[in-house]
Amino acid sequence: MNKLTPQKKRKINACVRGGIQLLFFAFMPSAFTTAFAGVKYIFTQVGKSETIEFNSFVKILAVLLVYTIVFGRFFCGYACAFGSLGDAIRAIYIKACGKLKKKPFTIDEKIRKVLAYTKYAVLVIILIVSFKGMNSKLKGTSAWDVFSMLRAGNTKIGEYVVGSVALLSIVIGMAVCERFFCRFLCPMGAVFSFMPVFPPFSLRRKRSECINGCSGCKRVCPSDIELSDTTSIDISGECFQCGKCVDVCPKQNIGRTLLPQSFELCFTIVRAVLLAAVLVWAGL
Amino acid sequence: MNRCFIKIINLLLVLGIIFGYNMTLESRAKENEIAKLQAELESSNNQLEKYDEVLKASDNTEGVDGNVESEYKDGVYEGTAKGYGGDITVEITIKGGVMKDLKILSASNEDGAYLAMASAIVKDILKNQSAEVDTVSGATYSSTGIKNAAGKALEKARDN
């Protein structure tokens, strides 16, 4: 493992990540909507003053939240079908730009920072709608619904004009900015970002050993995160656990306190298998 | 440091609120149930007295004919309708003019968790003896599929 060049290592990691994403996309494409259906269900029940039952939606939501508390937002980075769609579209766009010798479009970092708060507004709006019991009236306005229907092979999306237009604009956004939807709009991501994360399994860096002025990890990060120092337990709720920072650090200075860096790839596979197992157990 | 603790406290607070909410509703439901049962007991006692009087007044012991003309013919019928990602096929069993059973035969393109939620509609359809029931919110597409499939099967039972 140690003999591999950083480039090769990066390539292997990217391939493993792509493979895991593809498998989850093929076999568990509905996990993200199911978990969020759990959130909506809770607010719908409260709006109707009815008891919250531990049904299949809430179970999957609970399982994903507990998993996120332990391992961070690994689900977002490796298993969410919508996130994977975004990664694929971004990859195609970057490749196309390379072929056409054009510079890929980017959104300014300051704007990205502000846009990241939009997802909380999206979450609040959806929760109010659920609370008021107006979900059924807004049928066909969700981009997720249209995406899920297309994925399931149902092409009768003619009735869902609003949802289709929303999906199309999101797809364009996904091309021009990495993890556009996840960072800026995803209401489930907003819920995940409220979760505390178990620090020893999270990525942190020994800041004292960083090269002065190097911000390689931040520049490669799809969420522009400035990683915490190993002494801090404050883990960013925006981290998708993509692990790109680990590969890019010239001093191999980023890691998890409970695991040596050479286990990074094993840990990724273990987390993926574990995630699939708990989701199957929860009845997905 | 601070942010992590705030998140933990928030999480515990939300969980506490949800549990507290559920417990309050449950205790309230129990109280209502007790009140309802008491009222029922009283009214049925009154009714019993009335029946006794009627029985005493007449020696007429004519049996009540409970056979209501049903619009459904006995048999097993299938119906298919579009769900979320494909067709849902259900099978209904009619016995003595009453829909006794509703089974989901196939729903291969539905998602497990959604189908589990949507299946709550089966109980409603059987209870109402009709497919004209409300869909399950949160699993609208799948439950609409089950509802429409059951409606088609019931139509067959009517036409036969």
Side-chain angles (χ1 to χ4, degrees):
Chain A
M1 242 345 179
N2 292 330
K3 281 171 194 156
L4 288 174
T5 59
Q7 281 85 357
K8 221 167 195 179
K9 223 169 158 185
R10 227 177 286 171
K11 209 163 192 184
I12 291 173
N13 286 344
C15 283
V16 169
R17 180 158 179 240
I20 292 171
Q21 284 183 304
L22 213 61
L23 283 174
F24 272 101
F25 191 91
F27 296 108
M28 291 180 166
S30 62
F32 68 109
T33 47
T34 314
F36 194 63
V39 178
K40 287 200 282 190
Y41 166 79
I42 290 173
F43 275 77
T44 311
Q45 291 302 93
V46 175
K48 288 194 290 190
S49 329
E50 278 173 27
T51 40
I52 298 158
E53 279 166 58
F54 200 63
N55 62 25
S56 56
F57 290 169
V58 180
K59 204 168 173 188
I60 283 170
L61 172 68
V63 160
L64 274 186
L65 291 183
V66 170
Y67 186 93
T68 303
I69 290 170
V70 180
F71 294 117
R73 292 171 65 179
F74 182 80
F75 173 81
C76 299
Y78 284 80
C80 173
F82 215 61
S84 302
L85 173 79
D87 281 343
I89 288 170
R90 176 73 179 165
I92 291 168
Y93 175 73
I94 295 284
K95 208 152 210 182
C97 283
K99 281 248 160 80
L100 297 171
K101 301 213 163 60
K102 266 189 181 168
K103 215 178 151 225
F105 184 85
T106 45
I107 299 173
D108 189 70
E109 195 195 322
K110 271 186 201 138
I111 299 172
R112 290 201 298 252
K113 275 229 159 93
V114 176
L115 279 179
Y117 289 103
T118 327
K119 61 176 177 287
Y120 298 107
V122 174
L123 177 67
V124 167
I125 290 169
I126 294 176
L127 292 186
I128 291 172
V129 167
S130 300
F131 186 81
K132 296 256 181 197
M134 297 191 303
N135 271 325
S136 52
K137 274 184 202 140
L138 293 175
K139 192 179 158 186
T141 54
S142 162
W144 278 0
D145 278 354
V146 177
F147 166 70
S148 302
M149 288 178 80
L150 287 175
R151 201 221 71 245
N154 191 343
T155 47
K156 283 187 188 153
I157 52 165
E159 307 164 49
Y160 310 119
V161 182
V162 182
S164 304
V165 171
L167 182 63
L168 197 69
S169 5
I170 288 167
V171 164
I172 294 167
M174 282 168 165
V176 298
C177 179
E178 187 177 2
R179 290 271 159 173
F180 173 86
F181 183 80
C182 312
R183 274 192 79 186
F184 304 148
L185 298 171
C186 181
M188 195 60 224
V191 175
F192 280 139
S193 75
F194 288 132
M195 292 298 120
V197 178
F198 184 57
F201 278 148
S202 298
L203 292 168
R204 288 181 290 185
R205 61 179 164 174
K206 293 184 210 88
R207 274 199 119 135
S208 52
E209 288 176 25
C210 281
I211 301 168
N212 232 343
C214 165
S215 58
C217 51
K218 193 188 165 197
R219 270 184 283 132
V220 80
C221 179
S223 292
D224 306 310
I225 295 169
E226 276 189 53
L227 281 171
S228 312
D229 187 68
T230 35
T231 54
S232 161
I233 58 162
D234 195 6
I235 307 298
S236 170
E238 305 286 315
C239 174
F240 303 130
Q241 300 289 330
C242 69
K244 283 182 182 169
C245 50
V246 182
D247 299 334
V248 88
C249 180
K251 293 197 79 182
Q252 276 91 51
N253 200 14
I254 297 167
R256 306 170 203 272
T257 35
L258 267 189
L259 283 167
Q261 218 186 48
S262 49
F263 283 115
E264 191 60 30
L265 196 63
C266 292
F267 189 53
T268 300
I269 293 165
V270 167
R271 282 182 295 175
V273 172
L274 206 64
L275 179 59
V278 292
L279 283 176
V280 168
W281 173 78
L284 192 77
Chain B
M1 189 81 162
N2 272 334
R3 250 203 285 172
C4 185
F5 284 125
I6 290 170
K7 280 180 177 175
I8 293 172
I9 291 165
N10 280 345
L11 183 65
L12 292 177
L13 239 127
V14 169
L15 284 178
I17 289 171
I18 289 177
F19 277 110
Y21 168 82
N22 260 356
M23 268 171 17
T24 329
L25 278 189
E26 259 162 46
S27 70
R28 210 182 282 165
K30 261 184 204 151
E31 272 168 33
N32 284 343
E33 184 108 355
I34 290 168
K36 204 177 120 199
L37 284 177
Q38 262 167 352
E40 259 172 36
L41 195 67
E42 235 163 73
S43 74
S44 63
N45 273 344
N46 287 342
Q47 214 138 42
L48 263 181
E49 275 167 31
K50 266 187 213 160
Y51 283 143
D52 276 344
E53 278 165 31
V54 173
L55 266 179
K56 270 177 207 158
S58 70
D59 283 276
N60 200 349
T61 47
E62 200 179 301
V64 186
D65 194 12
N67 241 352
V68 187
E69 194 61 40
S70 167
E71 48 179 335
Y72 303 134
K73 292 256 168 59
D74 286 8
V76 179
Y77 306 94
E78 273 185 25
T80 301
K82 264 237 167 317
Y84 190 75
D87 285 340
I88 298 180
T89 304
V90 303
E91 180 190 88
I92 58 165
T93 310
I94 306 237
K95 236 186 219 162
V98 177
M99 185 176 13
K100 289 275 189 208
D101 196 18
L102 169 53
K103 262 189 279 186
I104 297 165
L105 290 186
S106 73
S108 49
N109 275 327
E110 304 304 298
D111 287 315
Y114 284 90
L115 194 63
M117 280 293 282
S119 298
I121 203 173
V122 169
K123 222 171 60 197
D124 282 353
I125 293 175
L126 287 175
K127 202 174 123 201
N128 287 321
Q129 289 290 309
S130 154
E132 294 313 307
V133 293
D134 288 337
T135 53
V136 180
S137 64
T140 319
Y141 300 93
S142 296
S143 57
T144 306
I146 296 173
K147 178 183 144 166
N148 291 345
K152 279 187 188 156
L154 283 173
E155 235 168 69
K156 284 186 202 161
R158 207 174 288 141
D159 294 340
N160 251 9

